Amino acid sequence: MKLVLSVLLLYFFYLSGICNAQNTGSMNTGSISGHVTSIDSLPLELVSVSIIELHKGTLTDSDGKYSLPNLTPGKYTIRIQMLGAAEKDFAVEVVAGQNTVTDYQLPQENIHALQEVTVVGSTNKFSKKESIYVAKLPLKNMENPQVYTTVPKELIQEQMAVDLGSISKNVPGAGIPMIANQGRVTFRSRGFETEPNARNGLAGAAFSSIDPANLERIEAIKGPSATLFGTSISSSYGGLYNRVTKKPYNGFGGEVAYFGGSWNYNRLTVDINTPVNADKTALFRLNGATTFEKSFQDLGFTNTVSLAPSFSYQITDRLSLLLDVEFGQAKGTSVVRFNPYTASDKVQSIADMRFPYTRTFLSNDITYQTQMLNIFAQLNYKISEHWTSQTIVSRARSSINGYITALNGRSDSTLRAQVIVGYTAFIATDIQQNFVGDFKIGSLRNRLVVGLDYYNNYNDFDRSSVNTQTINFIHPPANYRISRFKVDSLSTSGTWRKETNRDNTYAAYASDVINLTDRLMAMLSLRVDRYQYAGVYNINTGVTSGGLGVGGIQAGPYGQTALSHKLGLVYELAKDRVTLFGNYMNGFFNKSGVDIDGKQFKPEHANQLEFGVKADSWDHKLVGTVSYYDIQVKNILRTNPTDINYSIQDGTQLSKGVEIELTANPFPGLNLVMGYAYNNSKYTKIDSLLQGLRPALSGPERMLNFWVSYRLVQGPLQGLGLGFGGNSGSFSYQTNTRSTTTGEPLQVIIPAYTLLDATVFYDQKRFRIGFKVDNLTSEKAWSVRLTPQAPARFMGSMALKF
């Protein structure tokens, strides 16, 4: 609060100074103002406008307008430019007591630059596809051969989505989110687990809950993406989730909002933005939130606080700086994680196990505490009209202290709680240097990024794992309670993990998009990645090793080199409207250990072949993608059939399917979002117990999501709206294998589900109120960790804007 008050006071004095200066100098000075727009006449925000002779500049506001007041009469040169776009100079003359208007409309090829320039006023507010992160190039969605989904803040706000799990409902194939014990969230993507560990295109891992208060949008980038992003940000073969944070803007504004709902849900958010200098080239924004919620089950709660300040500074017309910080702190109890008893040879469903849907079997004093601090800094420098330098540094730290729990089945009717007690810390540093060019070789336009990437990871473990008594979960004892005192008394005899480990990754990559014709483009990308694992240092013994390797073999520190490619073709059937595309992309993961001959394992690889069509038609009223993909994973480790103590590296896996994504704005006020995902995954060469089976935890084979809303755009009730949507998925598996004795199927099935949501809202210039119901029908559903999902949850909200 002190920081907020200080910012407001500074802004007050800043306004006072401006007013005094304008009152005293307006008769003897002149001014320059104007409007910067795209080729479609849409206003562009945060474009740099400067006076060359005075070394003075400003940025355009949310309407694309700029103003340079209090100028001494004379002749000047106005320069308008964005990073990655050609600069434009205008000769202007300032006359005392008059305003000189200088407008500029950017050419089409420069509508999307390398900085976070916002195209304001798009007809379809839920289909803001343009991104500076997906390709690390000034590349529009229709020019990009890769598929990605964006969930913008406008859709997040309308749906009253207050957590990442709710936001992900709009991503085709994401499924029911898996919430880990410390609040970390994981989604499905094309049959693989995917975490939201990319932040503004760089590593921003958080082994804790991530509050969405500072989110501008989520970008779900589909398919193996190691060529540009590596594996350090938990990109999976199915893709990665990139969290794009809110950036400062040119103007004073913000809002304060309160949310209240079922199970004592209370949430307060704040968003304040202000310029901090007279030229409005230095901007500050602060987002924050605090949330408390009890579980819908008999016990359990979460309490979180987050602060996210950001600062941007247009140092010169060529140099800009962005500083961005995320701080989060949470205390809560673990969500239910149930691992059923699977020793018996049978197929069973979690819905038939009689596991109590509303019981946790734990106590509210078995809590964990997490803390997260992510620091992001980016320096952009325009080297020339054709080349730009980006220097980016990211530092991410997460710590977990307290108790993490799981419920392990001991028979068809009994369970035993396992509790991990202690401290864990994860620290990651990512430094990246990119050189981005937009130039021609002969008649061929090239958009090229050349980058160097260094990633350091350090993990610290000091914890003990203990098991409590076995109880009947169908008829639990009345006095059953796992208390903190009971767990602490067992911790000294538990299994200890006291160690540190670290690794370094050194990588270089290049990606070039070549315009072979005005409509035909080719993308050629390559990455070389050197991974150095420094080993595990055992604090008790003082010995560094590789930890427990594959097949029980101790594998020491090691290094691996991997190559990753990304190839794509795009042909625009109708320029900027309909595109045919295809890609061949690669992902990899480093693997430790040696085979029976002592040979070091190679990195595991996956190659994706994909093709489809993208559309952006009728003045952006219809935006969508239809694609087919085929992902082949190789170099999977499997048990050596001649010696079970070792592994061999010849396993393979297949994941193929179809994805459809659509956003539409047929007429003013009506918006539709729809997605469909079909995924066929199976092991094609693996241990006999898994051969030909769909991998457990790969999610439902079929998933559907939709959202439709209507808002009155005129009349006395303008701003009043309704929204309705849902998500459904076919059945999936928590366990899918075969019995070691009979070879018969051994499965734990997660039933199919359909979850429906609805909202009512009234949005005005100075306030917004809303009411929402999640899971209207109180359908019972489970995540892949067999965590029960909440029944119908009611929530109301009120926001004041300024």
Side-chain angles (χ1 to χ4, degrees):
M1 290 305 297
K2 289 181 179 179
L3 178 61
V4 173
L5 291 174
S6 298
V7 170
L8 293 176
L9 285 173
L10 284 172
Y11 185 70
F12 172 77
F13 289 125
Y14 153 71
L15 281 181
S16 300
I18 292 295
C19 292
N20 290 335
Q22 289 178 341
N23 290 336
T24 58
S26 59
M27 297 302 297
N28 299 322
T29 61
S31 62
I32 302 173
S33 66
H35 195 205
V36 180
T37 58
S38 68
I39 190 67
D40 299 322
S41 299
L42 297 175
L44 295 176
E45 184 182 8
L46 299 181
V47 176
S48 172
V49 183
S50 60
I51 302 176
I52 303 302
E53 292 81 1
L54 300 180
H55 302 287
K56 180 179 182 179
T58 189
L59 299 170
T60 57
D61 62 16
S62 59
D63 295 320
K65 296 178 180 179
Y66 70 91
S67 178
L68 294 162
N70 303 319
L71 300 175
T72 302
K75 295 182 178 181
Y76 299 100
T77 303
I78 291 292
R79 174 167 293 170
I80 300 177
Q81 69 173 5
M82 300 185 300
L83 295 176
E87 60 193 36
K88 181 68 174 179
D89 292 347
F90 296 92
V92 298
E93 183 172 359
V94 174
V95 179
Q98 295 184 19
N99 177 56
T100 303
V101 177
T102 305
D103 295 332
Y104 180 52
Q105 187 174 48
L106 270 74
Q108 184 173 2
E109 63 268 21
N110 293 329
I111 191 173
H112 178 54
L114 296 176
Q115 65 192 81
E116 194 78 48
V117 175
T118 305
V119 182
V120 184
S122 177
T123 304
N124 190 345
K125 63 180 181 178
F126 293 161
S127 63
K128 295 184 176 181
K129 280 284 195 179
E130 309 310 330
S131 170
I132 64 175
Y133 305 108
V134 175
K136 296 186 183 292
L137 285 170
L139 201 64
K140 294 182 291 187
N141 174 50
M142 301 301 289
E143 300 173 318
N144 196 330
Q146 189 166 9
V147 174
Y148 59 97
T149 297
T150 59
V151 184
K153 63 180 179 183
E154 289 83 2
L155 182 55
I156 296 173
Q157 181 184 92
E158 182 173 286
Q159 293 181 343
M160 293 174 58
V162 292
D163 54 73
L164 290 182
S166 299
I167 294 171
S168 72
K169 291 179 178 181
N170 301 287
V171 178
I176 294 176
M178 184 202 80
I179 307 297
N181 293 322
Q182 58 277 82
R184 196 169 89 247
V185 62
T186 302
F187 312 109
R188 311 298 104 185
S189 183
R190 299 189 170 180
F192 301 93
E193 291 189 2
T194 308
E195 297 185 43
N197 280 344
R199 179 166 167 264
N200 296 327
L202 219 64
F207 291 87
S208 60
S209 61
I210 301 173
D211 197 288
N214 71 324
L215 279 185
E216 183 72 24
R217 64 182 179 274
I218 283 286
E219 297 175 344
I221 305 171
K222 299 302 185 75
S225 302
T227 306
L228 290 181
F229 297 99
T231 61
S232 58
I233 55 178
S234 297
S235 63
S236 75
Y237 299 143
L240 66 98
Y241 277 69
N242 182 39
R243 309 181 332 259
V244 180
T245 59
K246 294 177 180 177
K247 310 298 192 299
Y249 55 89
N250 183 358
F252 176 77
E255 71 171 42
V256 177
Y258 170 76
F259 299 79
S262 303
W263 310 300
N264 199 20
Y265 185 90
N266 286 276
R267 176 175 172 82
L268 182 67
T269 66
V270 61
D271 181 358
I272 298 176
N273 186 91
T274 182
V276 295
N277 66 352
D279 292 333
K280 297 185 179 182
T281 54
L283 309 172
F284 176 80
R285 190 169 186 175
L286 176 66
N287 283 273
T290 181
T291 303
F292 176 84
E293 181 181 22
K294 293 183 65 177
S295 171
F296 74 92
Q297 296 171 307
D298 55 355
L299 291 169
F301 72 94
T302 56
N303 190 358
T304 65
V305 176
S306 69
L307 287 174
S310 57
F311 173 77
S312 68
Y313 183 29
Q314 189 75 33
I315 303 171
T316 70
D317 61 338
R318 291 180 176 271
L319 182 65
S320 67
L321 171 69
L322 172 66
L323 295 174
D324 195 292
V325 176
E326 278 183 323
F327 173 80
Q329 198 163 270
K331 181 178 181 179
T333 55
S334 296
V335 298
V336 168
R337 177 187 179 183
F338 181 49
N339 300 310
Y341 178 73
T342 56
S344 55
D345 304 340
K346 60 182 176 182
V347 176
Q348 51 187 336
S349 169
I350 179 61
D352 300 326
M353 290 183 184
R354 295 192 290 174
F355 181 84
Y357 198 82
T358 59
R359 295 204 65 168
T360 66
F361 295 98
L362 299 169
S363 302
N364 278 345
D365 62 353
I366 306 292
T367 61
Y368 65 83
Q369 292 180 326
T370 64
Q371 190 178 91
M372 173 191 73
L373 179 63
N374 291 338
I375 301 173
F376 178 93
Q378 178 172 326
L379 195 66
N380 293 330
Y381 180 69
K382 187 177 177 67
I383 301 172
S384 67
E385 180 177 332
H386 300 291
W387 286 96
T388 300
S389 167
Q390 291 180 329
T391 305
I392 314 172
V393 178
S394 174
R395 177 81 165 176
R397 181 186 183 277
S398 298
S399 64
I400 309 162
N401 191 20
Y403 304 80
I404 300 173
T405 63
L407 303 176
N408 298 322
R410 304 295 291 167
S411 72
D412 290 344
S413 60
T414 62
L415 61 79
R416 181 176 68 185
Q418 182 185 57
V419 184
I420 297 175
V421 188
Y423 175 83
T424 309
F426 304 90
I427 303 174
T429 303
D430 198 351
I431 303 174
Q432 197 172 102
Q433 174 62 53
N434 294 315
F435 295 98
V436 184
D438 189 345
F439 55 91
K440 285 189 175 182
I441 299 179
S443 61
L444 301 180
R445 182 188 181 190
N446 288 258
R447 279 166 284 183
L448 171 68
V449 57
V450 178
L452 298 173
D453 195 4
Y454 166 74
Y455 180 81
N456 170 265
N457 182 64
Y458 178 87
N459 302 324
D460 184 5
F461 300 90
D462 182 10
R463 63 194 197 186
S464 172
S465 179
V466 302
N467 292 309
T468 63
Q469 73 267 32
T470 299
I471 59 113
N472 187 304
F473 62 75
I474 300 175
H475 304 290
N479 61 348
Y480 175 74
R481 182 175 185 267
I482 303 177
S483 67
R484 187 170 188 168
F485 174 78
K486 185 179 297 185
V487 173
D488 288 345
S489 66
L490 295 170
S491 63
T492 55
S493 60
T495 303
W496 282 93
R497 184 180 185 185
K498 297 174 73 68
E499 66 186 36
T500 62
N501 62 68
R502 64 189 188 278
D503 56 76
N504 293 285
T505 301
Y506 309 86
Y509 53 87
S511 181
D512 189 15
V513 175
I514 306 171
N515 280 74
L516 301 174
T517 70
D518 183 49
R519 296 189 178 188
L520 178 63
M521 283 156 278
M523 173 182 282
L524 310 172
S525 311
L526 182 66
R527 180 189 190 94
V528 58
D529 191 281
R530 179 62 182 177
Y531 176 76
Q532 291 289 156
Y533 183 60
V536 175
Y537 174 73
N538 188 307
I539 296 173
N540 288 330
T541 64
V543 176
T544 298
S545 69
L548 190 62
V550 177
I553 305 302
Q554 288 287 337
Y558 68 96
Q560 285 182 341
T561 301
L563 292 176
S564 179
H565 60 264
K566 180 180 179 182
L567 310 173
L569 282 175
V570 169
Y571 181 71
E572 297 187 69
L573 291 174
K575 186 66 176 175
D576 296 324
R577 296 293 177 263
V578 181
T579 289
L580 296 178
F581 70 91
N583 64 62
Y584 182 59
M585 303 192 303
N586 175 267
F588 64 91
F589 284 102
N590 294 287
K591 293 295 177 180
S592 65
V594 295
D595 62 16
I596 195 171
D597 299 319
K599 184 180 178 181
Q600 174 72 48
F601 292 129
K602 299 179 293 185
E604 182 183 278
H605 275 269
N607 292 312
Q608 172 185 275
L609 178 64
E610 182 178 21
F611 55 86
V613 59
K614 295 183 179 182
D616 189 339
S617 304
W618 295 296
D619 192 26
H620 309 292
K621 288 183 173 64
L622 178 65
V623 180
T625 304
V626 179
S627 67
Y628 169 82
Y629 62 87
D630 186 313
I631 302 174
Q632 303 276 352
V633 186
K634 63 180 182 178
N635 292 342
I636 296 176
L637 299 178
R638 67 186 184 97
T639 303
N640 191 323
T642 63
D643 189 336
I644 62 173
N645 295 312
Y646 290 88
S647 292
I648 56 177
Q649 195 177 28
D650 64 351
T652 56
Q653 180 183 339
L654 170 69
S655 179
K656 59 182 180 180
V658 175
E659 286 184 344
I660 301 173
E661 175 197 20
L662 176 71
T663 61
N665 179 217
F667 54 84
L670 180 64
N671 286 277
L672 301 100
V673 177
M674 189 275 287
Y676 173 77
Y678 166 75
N679 173 259
N680 177 19
S681 290
K682 64 180 178 180
Y683 290 113
T684 48
K685 186 177 183 181
I686 199 67
D687 300 337
S688 59
L689 299 180
L690 298 173
Q691 179 67 32
L693 298 182
R694 182 177 180 85
L697 312 185
S698 58
E701 189 175 71
R702 294 176 175 82
M703 284 182 270
L704 174 70
N705 66 278
F706 73 93
W707 181 259
V708 56
S709 66
Y710 179 70
R711 177 194 304 248
L712 296 174
V713 296
Q714 59 185 3
L717 295 178
Q718 180 180 351
L720 179 64
L722 303 169
F724 177 75
N727 294 76
S728 67
S730 57
F731 77 90
S732 57
Y733 301 102
Q734 187 267 350
T735 300
N736 189 23
T737 183
R738 296 185 178 92
S739 168
T740 56
T741 56
T742 66
E744 293 299 314
L746 180 58
Q747 299 173 338
V748 175
I749 295 174
I750 304 172
Y753 63 88
T754 298
L755 305 174
L756 301 175
D757 308 326
T759 63
V760 180
F761 53 89
Y762 186 48
D763 197 356
Q764 293 294 296
K765 183 177 181 180
R766 294 300 180 189
F767 69 91
R768 181 180 65 255
I769 56 176
F771 178 76
K772 182 183 184 182
V773 184
D774 288 313
N775 193 4
L776 274 164
T777 61
S778 289
E779 173 141 346
K780 289 185 176 181
W782 292 262
S783 73
V784 293
R785 277 193 170 183
L786 301 186
T787 302
Q789 302 300 292
R793 179 174 77 169
F794 300 87
M795 183 183 299
S797 72
M798 180 177 66
L800 301 178
K801 309 174 188 178
F802 51 90

